[in-house]
Amino acid sequence: MSSSTSGPIEYVGKADRKAGREADRKAAKGAPGGGTGSRLGCLWSLLAVAGFFGAVIAYVRLGGYVRATLLGLACDLSACSAAGMTVAGWLIIATPAAMLLLTAALWPRLAKRGRVALGVASAMVVLTAFTFLPGRKRDLSDLVKGPGSEAAGDGMMWAFGGAAAALLFLLVLVYVGKAVPMVDRHYNTVAIVGSVALMTAALPLAVSRSEPTWVRAADVFPAELTMNGDRLVRTAVAEQRGCDGVLPDDKLLHLRNCYLTVRAAYRTDDSDAVATFRAVLYADDETADEVRDGLPRGLTPVGVTGDAITVMSTTHAWVLIGTAGHADGHPIAEDERPWALWPLRQVSYHFIGVQGGLLAEPDPDGEIHPRTR
């Protein structure tokens, strides 16, 4: 004879327990301070709503600052190289994707404090990535600006491709798991490993296909430069992080954060004029203009000896500091100024053309002209 799993006594017990809980709740409401819990709950709700709107406002107001800070840091660390900026762009998208995967994998195993910490960290990373997402009236080029922005944008697009491939892989894996029990039993492991592999595979492709950023001195300045029929031979080329040692007073160029400095020196075969050229890279055109406006006239860069003419200007995010003089440093006569400055003008045109993507030669019939005109 089988025994029943429930009976009148059990039902009575359930009813008693339910009645007891109702009585406890009523007693709590009637007791002094019994509404504290409800008031706290209301307060937390208000704080949650205020926090949400605060996050939205911060996102809108600080988005540009966050983007500029991240790209500036990447440019500073990588010297604005194509590979470095591409990796930075890839990380902007890959990092939140990795955080989401990590959260999904660890959430069931973590205690309450661990979940809160991981949730907050993931939310901050994801919100940071959201500042780079274009909207209806802005595309990616409107958001990603400054030195190396093209490479960073390429890295982001490749990361998006890797993330899309990983998402498709996860969807396919769901159906495969239904047909293959072994895959179903190890679904989490296969999903994480496969997704990471697809995201990581996009990185070397992005780096190999990224366009040069034209910030390497040896890439910008050729060993021989031919312009206007003249042949200029490079005698020195170098680059450095930052801008220390360019001018006698380092504070002048450190008015704003400088990323790197490229240097080159040329001599020409139709005179004894030599051109020494330095270009300092900043975050954007406005910053470069601000630094240039703060440079006093008459400065001679460090390392230049003898009589020299110094010319300062800007192009895009670069502050250009060029000097012209005789090879032996003897004084420059007034009638020698036009052709003494001619090689420097040619080097400057070449650098500006490389940075702007449009090479042009200076007019030899102008005020500054070759010696043999």
Side-chain angles (χ1 to χ4, degrees):
M1 182 174 178
S2 62
S3 60
S4 175
T5 58
S6 62
I9 296 178
E10 182 174 341
Y11 286 124
V12 171
K14 290 181 178 178
D16 291 342
R17 288 196 296 271
K18 184 176 181 181
R21 287 195 297 269
E22 291 293 336
D24 291 341
R25 280 197 291 268
K26 291 180 179 179
K29 290 182 180 179
T36 303
S38 61
R39 288 196 294 271
L40 285 176
C42 182
L43 178 60
W44 280 114
S45 299
L46 289 175
L47 289 176
V49 172
F52 172 77
F53 283 106
V56 172
I57 294 172
Y59 171 80
V60 173
R61 297 295 299 271
L62 300 179
Y65 177 78
V66 170
R67 290 191 296 270
T69 300
L70 285 179
L71 293 176
L73 178 62
C75 194
D76 219 350
L77 293 175
S78 67
C80 298
S81 65
M85 295 306 293
T86 302
V87 171
W90 179 84
L91 283 173
I92 289 171
I93 305 303
T95 303
M99 290 296 292
L100 292 176
L101 274 176
L102 187 65
T103 301
L106 297 182
W107 192 264
R109 306 177 184 179
L110 293 176
K112 184 177 180 179
R113 290 184 179 179
R115 289 182 177 182
V116 170
L118 184 59
V120 170
S122 299
M124 292 180 63
V125 172
V126 171
L127 283 175
T128 300
F130 275 163
T131 63
F132 289 88
L133 294 182
R136 290 191 305 171
K137 297 182 180 180
R138 296 187 301 178
D139 56 21
L140 190 60
S141 61
D142 295 325
L143 300 177
V144 183
K145 299 178 181 180
S149 56
E150 294 85 358
D154 290 343
M156 293 176 64
M157 295 306 298
W158 278 99
F160 274 125
L167 181 60
L168 180 61
F169 169 75
L170 293 176
L171 292 175
V172 172
L173 194 62
V174 171
Y175 293 97
V176 173
K178 293 180 179 180
V180 183
M182 182 175 292
V183 173
D184 186 57
R185 287 194 300 270
H186 300 88
Y187 178 84
N188 288 343
T189 302
V190 176
I192 293 175
V193 172
S195 299
V196 171
L198 288 171
M199 284 292 297
T200 305
L203 180 57
L205 291 173
V207 172
S208 64
R209 298 185 179 220
S210 60
E211 296 293 331
T213 55
W214 303 112
V215 295
R216 291 287 182 257
D219 295 335
V220 178
F221 302 108
E224 290 190 3
L225 177 60
T226 302
M227 299 186 77
N228 302 98
D230 298 334
R231 174 175 170 269
L232 287 82
V233 179
R234 190 184 70 197
T235 57
V237 65
E239 62 191 55
Q240 69 177 70
R241 290 177 182 247
C243 51
D244 289 337
V246 176
L247 294 177
D249 186 358
D250 286 334
K251 291 185 293 185
L252 294 172
L253 292 176
H254 280 290
L255 177 67
R256 292 291 181 265
N257 185 40
C258 52
Y259 295 141
L260 74 153
T261 303
V262 294
R263 307 166 181 253
Y266 282 88
R267 60 177 174 80
T268 182
D269 57 1
D270 67 344
S271 71
D272 70 338
V274 293
T276 302
F277 187 87
R278 296 166 177 81
V280 183
L281 183 61
Y282 290 89
D284 49 46
D285 301 11
E286 293 76 14
T287 302
D289 291 338
E290 181 184 356
V291 173
R292 165 62 188 89
D293 292 342
L295 298 180
R297 294 184 179 182
L299 285 176
T300 300
V302 174
V304 176
T305 58
D307 192 19
I309 304 170
T310 302
V311 180
M312 299 184 221
S313 61
T314 60
T315 181
H316 300 290
W318 298 86
V319 172
L320 312 182
I321 303 171
T323 58
H326 294 293
D328 60 3
H330 72 264
I332 304 170
E334 188 63 30
D335 61 340
E336 296 175 334
R337 290 177 63 89
W339 58 262
L341 284 166
W342 178 244
L344 176 60
R345 190 174 193 188
Q346 290 176 308
V347 175
S348 300
Y349 263 63
H350 171 77
F351 182 84
I352 294 170
V354 168
Q355 298 302 326
L358 181 62
L359 294 173
E361 296 185 353
D363 182 7
D365 296 325
E367 182 181 353
I368 298 174
H369 55 76
R371 184 178 187 180
T372 56
R373 185 179 70 171

